[in-house]
Amino acid sequence: MKFFSNEVKIALVAIIGIIVLFFGMNYLKGVSMFSGNKSYYASFDNVTGLSPASPVFANGFKIGMVETINYDYAHPEKIIVVLGIDPKMKLPKGTTAEIVSDLLGNVKLELKLGSNFADFMAVGDTVRGGMQQGIMSKAGDMVPKIEQMLPKLDSILNSVNALLADPALSHSLHNVDNITANLTSTTSELKKLSASLNKEMPRIMSNVNGTLSNTEALTGKLNNIDVDGTMRKVDATLANVQQMTHALNSREGTLGLLMHDAGLYNHLNATMRDADSLLIDLKAHPKRYVHFSVFGKKDR
């Protein structure tokens, strides 16, 4: 009977498959069976989502993994997590650990390195751990506020529904359509007007140039006017007017006496009345003043 019978071969293949599967699963989890990682400890009050083989990151770079999680039944408020850290990595004192979860539910451990890179923790020291206030946690904190807003949102939706059901809204929209049509028509008319102006612009500019030329000619004529001489003539005329006004105001001369002597005015007025009476009598009795005969004899 041979030792490597079919049964033995099958058994060996099964054992090798189990070993390969074990190491493969650990490799996929990030667990290195032959690594020389240094062990540190982290103390947590809550490790929700964290499990052995969860990755450990520092500044976004993977430096190790969670090896084991030990629950202290004597002190339930403390949960000790064993961290397997790359031996090249040194943790400054003051380093803390945070459990971080993303929207997909992946959980990792993020180390917040201390600022003193001259003083490092010893292997086996314990860092203080906590839970990061992630997006989901913030969303959970917003739930009470959202619940308070729901009645207001319901009231707003009711108002919006009432507004949409109001016939005036459809009428207003119809008016908006009419206004849009009018604006379109107005725009078309403006385009036509603009095209017409573009055609007439050369003629208008020619007229403007002609007007400017006439203006320049008028300006030239105005420049040629003897303003000083004209003003001297105006001054002389004003002086004559002033002399005439002075003569009228004085009692010398006929006009001055006429304006200031009441007796002369009264005599002139009486003379005019007598002349008026004479003309009236002449018209009424012309024979008193005119005598003529057909035969040349006077009628006495």
Side-chain angles (χ1 to χ4, degrees):
M1 182 178 179
K2 295 182 179 179
F3 178 75
F4 289 102
S5 60
N6 292 333
E7 292 79 3
V8 174
K9 292 179 181 180
I10 294 172
L12 290 175
V13 170
I15 293 170
I16 294 172
I18 292 172
I19 295 173
V20 171
L21 179 61
F22 174 76
F23 281 100
M25 293 294 294
N26 284 286
Y27 176 78
L28 292 176
K29 292 180 179 180
V31 178
S32 178
M33 302 300 296
F34 306 102
S35 65
N37 289 343
K38 297 183 294 184
S39 295
Y40 292 87
Y41 298 92
S43 176
F44 291 90
D45 297 332
N46 190 339
V47 290
T48 301
L50 192 66
S51 63
S54 295
V56 178
F57 289 85
N59 297 329
F61 183 79
K62 183 180 178 181
I63 60 171
M65 66 176 183
V66 175
E67 293 183 348
T68 59
I69 299 177
N70 300 320
Y71 188 77
D72 189 353
Y73 292 95
H75 303 87
E77 70 279 1
K78 294 297 181 183
I79 301 174
I80 303 301
V81 177
V82 181
L83 309 177
I85 304 299
D86 190 319
K88 297 179 182 178
M89 183 67 187
K90 295 181 180 180
L91 301 181
K93 287 187 177 181
T95 299
T96 59
E98 290 184 350
I99 299 174
V100 181
S101 59
D102 56 21
L103 293 175
L104 299 178
N106 299 319
V107 181
K108 64 180 180 179
L109 196 65
E110 183 77 26
L111 293 181
K112 301 296 182 181
L113 302 179
S115 59
N116 186 7
F117 287 92
D119 192 7
F120 298 98
M121 299 173 61
V123 177
D125 286 350
T126 301
V127 300
R128 181 171 54 85
M131 188 75 69
Q132 187 186 58
Q133 189 74 8
I135 297 177
M136 298 304 294
S137 298
K138 294 180 180 178
D141 295 338
M142 292 176 62
V143 170
K145 297 180 180 179
I146 294 175
E147 291 178 348
Q148 294 177 0
M149 292 175 60
L150 287 177
K152 296 181 181 179
L153 289 176
D154 186 57
S155 176
I156 292 172
L157 290 176
N158 291 333
S159 300
V160 171
N161 290 331
L163 178 63
L164 293 177
D166 192 349
L169 179 62
S170 60
H171 182 67
S172 299
L173 293 176
H174 181 68
N175 291 335
V176 170
D177 292 336
N178 293 334
I179 293 171
T180 303
N182 293 333
L183 287 175
T184 303
S185 176
T186 304
T187 303
S188 177
E189 294 296 330
L190 287 175
K191 288 182 179 179
K192 293 180 181 179
L193 179 61
S194 178
S196 177
L197 288 175
N198 290 333
K199 292 180 181 179
E200 295 294 331
M201 189 58 68
R203 185 176 62 82
I204 294 173
M205 293 304 296
S206 177
N207 293 336
V208 170
N209 291 331
T211 303
L212 292 176
S213 299
N214 294 334
T215 303
E216 291 177 356
L218 177 61
T219 304
K221 292 180 180 180
L222 290 175
N223 291 331
N224 294 329
I225 294 176
D226 186 5
V227 178
D228 294 336
T230 302
M231 293 305 296
R232 285 194 295 271
K233 293 179 181 180
V234 170
D235 292 338
T237 302
L238 291 176
N240 293 331
V241 171
Q242 186 175 6
Q243 291 178 0
M244 183 177 66
T245 303
H246 179 71
L248 290 174
N249 291 329
S250 65
R251 295 181 179 273
E252 298 177 358
T254 303
L255 291 177
L257 291 174
L258 182 62
M259 293 180 65
H260 297 281
D261 190 350
L264 179 60
Y265 171 76
N266 292 328
H267 287 302
L268 288 175
N269 194 15
T271 303
M272 293 299 295
R273 285 197 302 270
D274 293 339
D276 186 56
S277 298
L278 179 61
L279 288 174
I280 292 172
D281 186 67
L282 179 61
K283 290 180 180 180
H285 306 92
K287 291 182 178 182
R288 292 180 181 178
Y289 305 97
V290 179
H291 302 278
F292 64 90
S293 175
V294 177
F295 302 100
K297 293 181 179 182
K298 294 183 178 179
D299 186 8
R300 296 182 181 180

